[in-house]
Amino acid sequence: MLTNISNVLRACAQRNGAAAVVSARTYADFTTEATFEIKKCDIHKLDEAPATQVVMTREEGLQYYRTMQTIRRMELKADQLYKQKIIRGFCHLYDGQEACAVGIEAGINLTDHLITAYRAHGYTYTRGGTVKEIMAELTGRRGGIAKGKGGSMHMYTKHFYGGNGIVGAQVPLGAGIALACKYLGNNELCVSLYGDGAANQGQIFESYNMAALWKLPAIFICENNRYGMGTSVERAAASTDYYKRGDFIPGLRVDGMDVLCVREATKFAADHCRSGKGPMLMELQTYRYHGHSMSDPGVSYRTREEIQEVRGKSDPISMLKDRMLSNNMASIEELKEIDVAVRKEIEDAAQFATTDPEPPLEELCNHIFYNNPALEVRGTNPWTKLKSVS
Amino acid sequence: MAAAARFFIRGAPLKLPVSGVGTGAQSSFEATLLKLSPNSNSRTTTQRRHAAHFTFQPDAVPTQYGPTQKMNLFQSVTSALDNTLASDPTAVIFGEDVAFGGVFRCTVGLRDKYGKDRVFNTPLCEQGIVGFGIGAAVAGATAIAEIQFADYIYPAFDQIVNEAAKYRYRSGNLFDCGNLTIRAPWGCVGHGSLYHSQSPEAFFAHCPGIKVVIPRSPVQAKGLLLACIADQNPCIFFEPKILYRAAVEQVPVEPYTIPLSQAEILQEGSDVTLVAWGTQIHVMREVANMAQEKLGVSCELIDLQTILPWDTETVCKSVVKTGRLLISHEAPITGGFAAEISSTVQEECFLNLEAPIKDDQLLNPCQGPTSGSPGLHHLSFSSSFIQSVERGQEKTLC
């Protein structure tokens, strides 16, 4: 009976034009779900930690794999385009940290809210942006997610508030979004992300205080990738236990390279918030392979050996791949297929991003204010005014 | 409007109709100007490189300060800081990433030479950096704080305006933080977008108690920076980041100061006064040359150098002589510092003015933030300002 089903499935796959799976195994042979042991989170002002035995289904595994691989390839493509000078300006790449974006998204709903700083390409994707839009935004074309006017650091989509250049400034915004969620009573929450460098900004502590005082459904997440630009955490912070820095806010320290760890911790935090207990703080211990931005080689403040070590031992995509393969949840060919499909998607997006036209000059001055009727603004030509529509 | 805007795109073919710009009577003249302007000639339709909008013009080698050495802007800043740390044992330099040399290499070698208790990094906290600097200055140290980009200075705005500027006044001269100098990279750089291109001098000009200084070249930078450090008032020193590598001059190795609140007349003229500061000086130099060649107009070019307190006397004296004034800067026009200069000049020199004062603005084409798209950047340069000059002349004919 199972053979019949699998034959039908294979036939369907071929009819639909999908690549025929050339493997001895059929889909029916794979384990549909498995239990995994994950690292225990360190806790602060909490009685219990998130579970260490977690279940992941095959679908979930494939989805996480595909999403992480897409982010990885997208960032590497951006690196390539930047070196070809097709992307200009600033470009902060997320490769190495994919498990954070994917894990967080797996722990919350698409209707929840998220805000982060400038290392935002991964989150733009997990929050619903398409690779095409993201790449076109990087190259500054009209098909970009911010119409080509924002660039790498300023990407936005529904329930994703950016994409912010000034670090630390996005955290009070996140607390405000959480307030709106509580006020509107829609059972949504807001995830506010910041880095280990920004963790020393004063406004973050102001946000902690307000969120705790008013029991806002806010999850503050510090993505600790060990370096704030070129400064290691030991040289920047009196206390590198970022998950404890919320003091009166309960905290979790999570292995940010393990997507399941991040997912469990996020679910734990989300439940905490949604039950009205107030904010939660999470520290994700993660690592970025690239330098701070494209103008930073990334090796003057850390050794190549360190980067290789992390890549070899804790790469999030490899970890997930190993887990799925060793538990018979997928085959190597299947994962390779996903890789090929992802590569094609990125290539197409890059093609679009390089050929799409730039935004027209008429749009230069739009959306400065909200105004009705159209406003006239002065430009560099003193005798001609430019139109600003919004 | 669209035609006018398209005018200034890099690579726009020169035969585009020019009727959108100015009045009909001017258009053919302006078209000629544009065709002849050095910038448009060099652009081809295939050029996508974003070349600088100006050419740096070095000054003559100064002879009065001793032996000189070839330095660019960041090296001249390093030299000034080196001199300060050598002569003043209380001097300390701090900021984000200054220890390894700074993101613009302004503090290279200083930590090795003077020790890590005098050149040290701070965490990522501008408000903390300036507040800490004020405290150190009040206690007697010569504190030189670096804010990594002028765009990041706003968290420190309260400390600068409410604490630093008013310290002497509110304590009746018992305390002061005159030993504080804040340095920050300033101005457009081509790819900086919203948060790496700002020119916030106008925000600080509104605050009595601090001084705001902007150099145009390495020789000026070193002299003005040393003057700021020596000055007994808290000073903000903005360094045009696009000039860090582009500006190279022979700079004296010994310490020297250039007086603050003294504008410098770079070029004498009789028909119109051009006032600018920082990078824009080099654009204005080109404008002055073009005006002389194409229009036969003799321009007097003034570098304001100190924004607050500014040298009203030099500017007004010049306007009395020429009767016309054009001020140009990178920041948005509304409330920009040119507005302050305009207001003072019209009050002091009303009867000498032959034409309305023109405020010209380089960067933000719509008083809006600099957009992320490279194509929407930097539309018109010398060619636009030459029209302002020409218009100024025009006004007196009727």
Side-chain angles (χ1 to χ4, degrees):
Chain A
M1 156 115 165
L2 281 172
T3 345
N4 285 340
I5 294 174
S6 59
N7 282 337
V8 168
L9 281 171
R10 207 185 302 173
C12 284
Q14 283 169 339
R15 227 181 290 135
N16 289 339
V21 178
V22 182
S23 71
R25 288 168 168 170
T26 64
Y27 291 118
D29 282 348
F30 292 126
T31 333
T32 46
E33 64 175 48
T35 313
F36 297 93
E37 178 87 31
I38 55 172
K39 241 195 243 176
K40 187 160 199 279
C41 298
D42 295 321
I43 53 177
H44 168 72
K45 297 245 164 90
L46 280 168
D47 297 321
E48 43 167 25
T52 49
Q53 298 272 350
V54 296
V55 170
M56 180 176 80
T57 66
R58 199 180 105 85
E59 282 75 44
E60 284 173 349
L62 290 173
Q63 192 240 317
Y64 302 156
Y65 181 82
R66 198 198 165 100
T67 315
M68 289 203 283
Q69 192 69 287
T70 309
I71 298 175
R72 173 70 60 93
R73 294 251 70 88
M74 182 174 71
E75 297 297 76
L76 294 178
K77 191 74 194 168
D79 170 291
Q80 204 188 348
L81 291 176
Y82 193 91
K83 290 183 173 140
Q84 292 173 331
K85 304 219 176 181
I86 297 172
I87 298 179
R88 314 299 306 283
F90 295 99
C91 198
H92 307 88
L93 297 177
Y94 199 64
D95 53 321
Q97 297 184 215
E98 297 87 359
C100 298
V102 175
I104 291 171
E105 195 58 46
I108 59 175
N109 307 321
L110 213 55
T111 47
D112 289 319
H113 308 266
L114 194 141
I115 187 169
T116 183
Y118 49 76
R119 206 174 294 280
H121 307 162
Y123 291 101
T124 318
Y125 182 67
T126 53
R127 287 261 95 196
T130 62
V131 184
K132 233 171 153 181
E133 287 174 320
I134 295 172
M135 303 220 76
E137 185 58 41
L138 287 174
T139 53
R141 308 302 165 98
R142 64 175 78 179
I145 204 164
K147 303 193 179 64
K149 289 166 88 168
S152 164
M153 286 201 276
H154 309 294
M155 296 192 181
Y156 304 82
T157 184
K158 191 150 197 289
H159 293 243
F160 173 56
Y161 302 83
N164 296 286
I166 304 293
V167 293
Q170 75 278 11
V171 181
L173 263 68
I177 298 168
L179 176 72
C181 295
K182 179 165 181 168
Y183 189 86
L184 295 171
N186 51 23
N187 203 29
E188 289 165 10
L189 51 81
C190 182
V191 177
S192 309
L193 292 127
Y194 53 95
D196 47 280
N200 301 315
Q201 276 275 325
Q203 39 196 336
I204 298 199
F205 296 92
E206 293 180 17
S207 313
Y208 290 161
N209 185 43
M210 287 191 283
L213 187 63
W214 300 323
K215 290 208 170 20
L216 302 180
I219 305 179
F220 298 109
I221 302 187
C222 175
E223 279 181 295
N224 178 3
N225 58 19
R226 306 196 216 163
Y227 299 95
M229 256 178 36
T231 307
S232 67
V233 293
E234 297 80 38
R235 295 194 294 128
S239 160
T240 53
D241 293 330
Y242 294 100
Y243 70 113
K244 286 188 185 163
R245 300 258 287 241
D247 188 21
F248 36 79
I249 297 183
L252 289 170
R253 178 156 55 192
V254 181
D255 178 5
M257 303 303 269
D258 180 352
V259 66
L260 292 178
C261 232
V262 178
R263 182 188 74 173
E264 274 324 294
T266 312
K267 274 196 184 142
F268 183 88
D271 290 337
H272 179 102
C273 288
R274 283 192 234 272
S275 62
K277 295 200 191 121
M280 183 90 133
L281 180 54
M282 272 165 60
E283 176 190 341
L284 303 181
Q285 291 184 306
T286 181
Y287 199 82
R288 53 166 162 81
Y289 297 146
H290 268 88
H292 160 76
S293 70
M294 284 307 297
S295 49
D296 171 22
V299 287
S300 51
Y301 46 86
R302 53 186 192 176
T303 58
R304 279 186 214 275
E305 287 76 41
E306 182 187 289
I307 307 173
Q308 293 306 348
E309 196 192 326
V310 177
R311 234 190 242 277
K313 294 209 189 119
S314 335
D315 182 78
I317 300 177
S318 306
M319 228 200 285
L320 180 64
K321 191 172 172 183
D322 291 338
R323 276 195 173 134
M324 290 188 70
L325 290 175
S326 56
N327 281 276
N328 193 23
M329 293 180 90
S331 69
I332 297 188
E333 292 83 10
E334 193 177 6
L335 296 179
K336 269 215 179 65
E337 257 174 62
I338 296 181
D339 289 346
V340 167
V342 164
R343 240 177 257 261
K344 176 151 197 319
E345 189 184 352
I346 305 291
E347 276 308 318
D348 290 342
Q351 182 61 21
F352 174 73
T354 35
T355 52
D356 200 37
E358 285 177 355
L361 266 164
E362 290 83 59
E363 283 185 19
L364 178 66
C365 307
N366 288 349
H367 309 302
I368 300 174
F369 285 106
Y370 175 69
N371 48 265
N372 185 4
L375 193 63
E376 287 211 315
V377 290
R378 285 179 290 184
T380 51
N381 184 334
W383 295 284
T384 318
K385 293 225 201 261
L386 301 166
K387 225 185 198 153
S388 172
V389 183
S390 189
Chain B
M1 186 277 306
R6 248 174 265 131
F7 225 152
F8 305 116
I9 300 174
R10 267 165 228 283
L14 297 172
K15 52 189 192 307
L16 264 185
V18 301
S19 52
V21 180
T23 65
Q26 311 298 330
S27 44
S28 57
F29 191 58
E30 283 157 3
T32 323
L33 284 178
L34 272 163
K35 278 198 209 114
L36 294 172
S37 93
N39 287 330
S40 348
N41 272 340
S42 56
R43 270 179 234 126
T44 64
T45 46
T46 53
Q47 184 180 328
R48 299 272 316 165
R49 281 291 165 271
H50 296 275
H53 58 284
F54 67 97
T55 321
F56 173 72
Q57 322 253 11
D59 290 323
V61 179
T63 45
Q64 69 269 46
Y65 302 122
T68 63
Q69 193 186 323
K70 186 161 138 189
M71 292 187 212
N72 58 28
L73 191 76
F74 72 74
Q75 287 165 337
S76 69
V77 169
T78 317
S79 175
L81 296 174
D82 196 349
N83 292 146
T84 306
L85 288 168
S87 59
D88 181 348
T90 69
V92 283
I93 300 177
F94 51 91
E96 290 159 24
D97 300 307
V98 297
F100 86 96
V103 287
F104 288 108
R105 333 282 299 127
C106 294
T107 48
V108 169
L110 296 178
R111 182 185 174 95
D112 294 331
K113 203 167 165 188
Y114 296 101
K116 59 184 192 335
D117 55 332
R118 295 185 72 190
V119 180
F120 54 91
N121 285 338
T122 58
L124 213 168
C125 45
E126 286 73 24
Q127 187 171 22
I129 291 171
V130 174
F132 173 88
I134 294 170
V138 170
T142 299
I144 303 167
E146 175 177 305
I147 299 290
Q148 199 156 78
F149 280 87
D151 313 54
Y152 306 162
I153 207 169
Y154 306 112
F157 197 79
D158 172 69
Q159 285 288 344
I160 295 171
V161 168
N162 279 335
E163 303 299 324
K166 299 172 169 60
Y167 221 122
R168 191 188 289 274
Y169 188 87
R170 70 176 190 242
S171 68
N173 206 23
L174 192 61
F175 290 105
D176 70 86
C177 56
N179 293 332
L180 175 65
T181 305
I182 301 167
R183 299 177 31 247
W186 166 101
C188 75
V189 70
H191 54 273
S193 193
L194 293 136
Y195 301 119
H196 297 78
S197 313
Q198 292 179 34
S199 313
E201 69 272 11
F203 292 115
F204 296 101
H206 193 57
C207 176
I210 49 172
K211 293 199 174 179
V212 180
V213 179
I214 305 175
R216 68 169 183 276
S217 71
V219 172
Q220 297 295 310
K222 179 169 169 173
L224 289 170
L225 180 55
L226 286 169
C228 284
I229 294 171
D231 193 281
Q232 286 304 300
N233 293 295
C235 295
I236 305 179
F237 187 74
F238 287 125
E239 301 162 1
K241 61 176 87 73
I242 200 174
L243 294 180
Y244 273 137
R245 287 181 196 268
V248 183
E249 276 183 334
Q250 289 287 343
V251 180
V253 286
E254 295 299 311
Y256 62 98
T257 56
I258 292 176
L260 298 181
S261 297
Q262 262 188 41
E264 190 179 333
I265 300 179
L266 298 179
Q267 191 179 310
E268 301 244 349
S270 55
D271 298 324
V272 60
T273 305
L274 305 176
V275 173
W277 49 89
T279 321
Q280 200 65 350
I281 285 285
H282 306 292
V283 180
M284 287 290 110
R285 266 192 168 129
E286 271 177 38
V287 171
N289 290 339
M290 278 164 72
Q292 183 64 67
E293 282 171 45
K294 276 60 167 200
L295 302 169
V297 164
S298 149
C299 299
E300 179 147 302
L301 178 58
I302 300 183
D303 180 2
L304 204 59
Q305 290 179 344
T306 305
I307 305 300
L308 179 77
W310 64 285
D311 187 355
T312 51
E313 205 182 311
T314 307
V315 177
C316 290
K317 244 190 180 151
S318 173
V319 177
V320 162
K321 183 170 74 165
T322 62
R324 290 174 200 88
L325 175 62
L326 178 93
I327 312 151
S328 185
H329 60 70
E330 283 181 17
I333 294 184
T334 306
F337 198 64
E340 160 65 24
I341 299 175
S342 282
S343 162
T344 307
V345 167
Q346 67 82 31
E347 192 182 327
E348 300 290 326
C349 318
F350 184 72
L351 294 172
N352 298 92
L353 285 173
E354 305 275 347
I357 302 174
K358 194 84 209 91
D359 298 352
D360 251 339
Q361 167 202 48
L362 168 68
L363 187 64
N364 300 324
C366 46
Q367 297 182 194
T370 44
S371 124
S373 167
L376 295 183
H377 267 220
H378 306 309
L379 302 192
S380 76
F381 310 119
S382 321
S383 38
S384 159
F385 302 125
I386 199 75
Q387 292 174 48
S388 304
V389 169
E390 198 254 331
R391 274 300 172 89
Q393 297 302 109
E394 241 282 303
K395 293 244 160 35
T396 57
L397 294 181
C398 43

